[in-house]
Amino acid sequence: MAKAVSLSLAVLLLLSTLAGCLSNEYKQFINYDIDEAIQYWQQYDEHQYEKRTPPTSQSVEIADNLVNNDEIFLLRYWDSYVYDEDNLNWTEDPYDDETWVFYFHSLRMVSFLMNAYELTNDTVYIEKAQWFIESWMEHNPNPYNHSGTRFAWGDHSTANRIITLTYFWDYYRDSPLFDEEFANEFLNMLNNHGIFTAQDKNYSWGINHGIYQDRALMQLAVLFPVFESSEEWLGISISRLSLHLNEDVTLTGVHKEHSTSYHYLVMGLFMSISKFANHYGISIEELDSTIYKMQEYLVLLSKADGTTPLIGDSTATNLMGIDESQIINEHLLYLISDGDRGEKIEQDSGVYEDAGVALFKNDWDVSPAIYFALFNRFHMVTKHKQCDDLSFVLTYQDTDYFVDSGKYNYDERDPYRILMRSVFAHNTIAVGDESYDIEDSNNIGTTAIEHYGITSEYSYVKASHTMYDGVKISRTVIFFDEGAVYFHDQIESDENHKYTQIFNIGQDVIIDDSNQNNVILSSMIDNSSLTLTQLNTISEFESYSGSNDPVRGWQSTTFNEVTPITTLNFLLEGNNVAFETVINLGLEIVDVDNFQDSGTNVYVITFDDNRTERIEIG
């Protein structure tokens, strides 16, 4: 069957060329010197390249289900799709989900088959992998002639496909199934992938998709010097990557796509490129220094359990899974080795002013762990940005008390996705009943960290934004290491508005809101508790839990899944209003007197033992 498909594909390519159907961008069929193509691979005892899926204990089972039962498994978020081999035409979308289609056209199933072949050396797997590749080639010969979905020749899917096709070639070239005719067709198709990815019009500037393209084009250029443009492609990939290093990451090492998960993902991309470049003697300026700073940020970002918070389009990432051989930052090495290697960071609280991030921790070695993080930044318009400016998360001991929404999925029509990106899924301030526009590039630069400080007993940050037209919202936070957090939310406007102070409470928390000015929160998983106290009079109080009208009180920690949580809303109305709110966790703030002295904001804070603390900000 593979031979028949191969022959029909060659005829199709020839007819398309003769008819002038192929654009001049995609050259006529080339008869490559197959021995030359293979010879380069034989120069190395071991090659270094990325794999979209690593071989695991499940690889053979996934591949067997594909070979024997026609079950295409892509990711755990979807059931396996049973396809009809005689009718597969690459228009399939069984779950009405673009993300599934993206992975389908990335040929993720081929990667699983290659995992199984790598583990077992059973040719049934590589034969099936070849069948899928030939089928895809037949229905998607070039960007101007494909199966009709934008993912056939999309920026990201094409880059992923290059990675998987490289994996296939490494094992196919020495396999008993090697066929020179198919190898030639395969190389022509791979060359078209390089032509497509090298063109500026197909490149994703300023977002992580472009880095996937850089990695793929670099890998293609180095491992396939048989292609005429390989040296040019290498130069293009390095040049573009340098732009990402300089423009997509702040000077302090924080990725700008507004997501903790995407910071981790992009850092991983940079690390894999660095590993590849070092193996083949390629020099890329600033790559390792950027990785070092991005790893340093993770040390401060991490919670006590070694995970990162859900900020922006994120899922919880466990830093303990990072391969130590990839770590170049001594503080991250100390963290993930549990102090066996590396060096302990001197100060694990910090404010990244250029990134709009404040991270405060008490001394976890001597006190129950308190983790506080505030985010206030709008670097770029990206699908991963959410309306989370001035939002915070707080974890006490093992319990996530105040949580962020997660991402749910990427279907912007889905009501849960709309909620996850809205202001109402974050611990911040809403004006009226609307979110602000995160698709408006005019809002870039309207967020600011105005003041901050870190001492041995407390830390503070004042941040603001003007995302809502005609409204300035400022949030001052004072974090006491002994166990209290004070919020001063000031809203200024020339017009009357309804303002909502929003708190999203984690799913492992019991809520007693019988006294709405003094809400008691207790953990279901440890012995901790805290109080959420309003120091000023509130005009109205709302509570939602798993509500669908309106859609409120949901969190997504797993792709395509939502879990009900509780959202507490405190409301005020007017032109210029202020919320003063306290979270007491062991230490109890009973009163705060705030005033200005010669342009400086002064806070005199009184605790339940009559002790006072005067803090000047600004």
Side-chain angles (χ1 to χ4, degrees):
M1 178 178 290
K3 192 75 171 180
V5 174
S6 181
L7 181 60
S8 65
L9 180 61
V11 172
L12 177 64
L13 286 170
L14 179 60
L15 290 176
S16 297
T17 303
L18 292 175
C21 294
L22 288 178
S23 166
N24 290 333
E25 298 164 297
Y26 299 93
K27 298 181 179 179
Q28 295 183 2
F29 194 84
I30 300 170
N31 288 310
Y32 286 103
D33 185 332
I34 302 300
D35 291 337
E36 180 186 351
I38 293 175
Q39 184 179 10
Y40 177 81
W41 285 77
Q42 294 174 337
Q43 293 176 6
Y44 290 81
D45 293 333
E46 182 181 5
H47 279 282
Q48 169 62 47
Y49 55 83
E50 193 65 21
K51 297 173 184 176
R52 290 296 301 158
T53 61
T56 69
S57 58
Q58 294 181 307
S59 299
V60 174
E61 179 183 354
I62 293 171
D64 282 343
N65 286 333
L66 181 54
V67 171
N68 300 323
N69 304 321
D70 297 332
E71 294 182 7
I72 295 177
F73 172 84
L74 297 180
L75 281 167
R76 62 186 176 87
Y77 313 122
W78 306 283
D79 293 334
S80 294
Y81 167 62
V82 179
Y83 73 100
D84 182 348
E85 183 174 300
D86 294 330
N87 294 311
L88 188 72
N89 60 14
W90 297 91
T91 63
E92 287 75 12
D93 183 6
Y95 304 107
D96 190 25
D97 190 327
E98 285 193 338
T99 305
W100 187 92
V101 178
F102 157 71
Y103 282 109
F104 183 55
H105 279 270
S106 295
L107 298 185
R108 191 173 179 87
M109 77 293 288
V110 171
S111 188
F112 285 125
L113 289 164
M114 295 313 301
N115 293 154
Y117 182 73
E118 181 180 350
L119 291 170
T120 68
N121 210 35
D122 188 337
T123 57
V124 68
Y125 302 120
I126 199 167
E127 182 178 19
K128 194 66 172 180
Q130 181 178 343
W131 182 88
F132 272 106
I133 292 169
E134 289 184 302
S135 175
W136 188 90
M137 290 164 62
E138 180 183 7
H139 291 88
N140 304 279
N142 66 77
Y144 299 98
N145 181 12
H146 56 75
S147 54
T149 171
R150 65 188 179 93
F151 294 106
W153 287 90
D155 57 349
H156 196 179
S157 53
T158 301
N160 283 355
R161 212 163 42 242
I162 290 172
I163 299 297
T164 294
L165 295 175
T166 302
Y167 185 16
F168 171 82
W169 176 260
D170 188 16
Y171 285 87
Y172 179 75
R173 63 190 172 89
D174 287 330
S175 78
L177 299 182
F178 183 82
D179 175 78
E180 190 164 318
E181 182 180 350
F182 169 72
N184 210 19
E185 294 162 1
F186 177 88
L187 290 174
N188 272 271
M189 185 264 295
L190 203 52
N191 184 55
N192 281 347
H193 278 59
I195 294 170
F196 176 89
T197 304
Q199 292 175 334
D200 284 351
K201 67 179 182 180
N202 301 321
Y203 188 70
S204 293
W205 303 93
I207 62 173
N208 66 81
H209 289 194
I211 306 172
Y212 280 100
Q213 291 176 287
D214 298 337
R215 182 176 67 176
L217 192 61
M218 183 182 300
Q219 185 169 297
L220 192 63
V222 171
L223 297 178
F224 294 90
V226 69
F227 296 143
E228 180 182 356
S229 300
S230 60
E231 289 187 12
E232 178 187 355
W233 293 346
L234 179 60
I236 290 172
S237 65
I238 294 174
S239 175
R240 288 172 172 173
L241 179 64
S242 296
L243 286 177
H244 285 286
L245 291 168
N246 290 320
E247 297 179 2
D248 297 3
V249 181
T250 69
L251 291 176
T252 56
V254 181
H255 185 244
K256 293 181 180 179
E257 278 196 85
H258 313 105
S259 161
T260 51
S261 284
Y262 279 91
H263 175 94
Y264 183 81
L265 179 146
V266 168
M267 185 193 73
L269 284 170
F270 287 157
M271 290 192 301
S272 70
I273 293 171
S274 176
K275 187 176 181 180
F276 180 87
N278 290 335
H279 186 83
Y280 294 101
I282 301 168
S283 176
I284 303 175
E285 190 175 352
E286 296 184 2
L287 178 56
D288 285 346
S289 62
T290 300
I291 293 170
Y292 180 90
K293 290 185 288 186
M294 294 181 79
Q295 291 183 353
E296 180 90 352
Y297 175 62
L298 288 181
V299 178
L300 274 69
L301 183 66
S302 66
K303 300 191 297 182
D305 63 357
T307 63
T308 57
L310 302 182
I311 301 298
D313 281 351
S314 293
T315 55
T317 300
N318 191 339
L319 302 182
M320 302 305 171
I322 301 177
D323 184 350
E324 285 192 17
S325 66
Q326 294 278 77
I327 295 175
I328 59 176
N329 182 287
E330 69 277 15
H331 301 135
L332 182 59
L333 181 60
Y334 183 91
L335 175 67
I336 72 160
S337 69
D338 199 22
D340 290 340
R341 288 168 294 285
E343 181 180 322
K344 185 176 182 179
I345 195 167
E346 290 185 9
Q347 175 60 266
D348 58 3
S349 290
V351 176
Y352 289 79
E353 187 175 4
D354 60 354
V357 180
L359 301 163
F360 299 148
K361 305 174 183 179
N362 62 344
D363 189 343
W364 295 348
D365 291 332
V366 299
S367 303
I370 305 173
Y371 173 93
F372 176 91
L374 178 140
F375 299 84
N376 187 55
R377 67 277 181 268
F378 193 178
H379 301 296
M380 62 175 71
V381 174
T382 166
K383 67 186 296 183
H384 305 306
K385 167 69 176 169
Q386 299 181 356
C387 295
D388 57 0
D389 298 280
L390 298 178
S391 184
F392 75 96
V393 294
L394 186 147
T395 299
Y396 182 31
Q397 294 189 29
D398 298 322
T399 304
D400 294 327
Y401 275 94
F402 298 90
V403 299
D404 208 75
S405 59
K407 65 183 174 186
Y408 183 57
N409 62 25
Y410 297 117
D411 182 356
E412 306 302 338
R413 304 162 299 173
D414 190 296
Y416 293 120
R417 172 63 174 170
I418 293 170
L419 170 67
M420 299 306 161
R421 296 192 74 188
S422 79
V423 69
F424 301 104
H426 301 94
N427 304 309
T428 186
I429 304 292
V431 178
D433 294 316
E434 302 292 334
S435 287
Y436 46 85
D437 188 357
I438 49 177
E439 304 297 331
D440 184 358
S441 60
N442 291 321
N443 278 330
I444 295 173
T446 60
T447 60
I449 298 283
E450 297 184 10
H451 304 286
Y452 64 91
I454 298 173
T455 75
S456 60
E457 296 180 350
Y458 62 84
S459 303
Y460 64 83
V461 61
K462 181 179 181 181
S464 65
H465 75 70
T466 54
M467 294 287 198
Y468 288 103
D469 289 342
V471 181
K472 180 179 180 180
I473 304 174
S474 301
R475 168 165 278 182
T476 299
V477 178
I478 304 175
F479 172 94
F480 291 92
D481 289 24
E482 287 184 68
V485 185
Y486 166 75
F487 295 84
H488 187 202
D489 293 330
Q490 298 168 281
I491 303 103
E492 304 170 56
S493 177
D494 292 333
E495 298 181 5
N496 186 280
H497 295 283
K498 179 179 74 173
Y499 303 104
T500 305
Q501 187 191 48
I502 305 162
F503 297 95
N504 288 279
I505 312 302
Q507 58 186 288
D508 296 319
V509 178
I510 299 170
I511 301 168
D512 178 359
D513 59 4
S514 55
N515 181 351
Q516 297 166 0
N517 288 320
N518 196 56
V519 178
I520 301 172
L521 306 179
S522 305
S523 173
M524 299 179 187
I525 60 176
D526 57 41
N527 62 356
S528 67
S529 63
L530 56 82
T531 58
L532 176 65
T533 302
Q534 295 290 347
L535 299 180
N536 295 342
T537 301
I538 300 299
S539 61
E540 192 176 345
F541 173 81
E542 298 173 338
S543 177
Y544 299 99
S545 182
S547 169
N548 286 316
D549 186 19
V551 181
R552 300 282 191 275
W554 296 96
Q555 186 189 34
S556 177
T557 58
T558 302
F559 191 81
N560 265 345
E561 296 180 14
V562 291
T563 302
I565 60 171
T566 299
T567 298
L568 304 178
N569 292 342
F570 299 89
L571 287 80
L572 287 173
E573 189 170 343
N575 290 25
N576 302 324
V577 304
F579 295 90
E580 289 190 81
T581 310
V582 172
I583 299 173
N584 288 321
L585 323 87
L587 185 65
E588 186 172 350
I589 296 173
V590 295
D591 186 53
V592 178
D593 183 20
N594 71 80
F595 55 91
Q596 283 206 333
D597 184 2
S598 301
T600 298
N601 294 304
V602 180
Y603 295 89
V604 179
I605 298 173
T606 303
F607 302 98
D608 61 343
D609 59 1
N610 292 322
R611 179 166 52 97
T612 63
E613 186 81 51
R614 177 188 172 101
I615 298 173
E616 298 182 1
I617 300 176

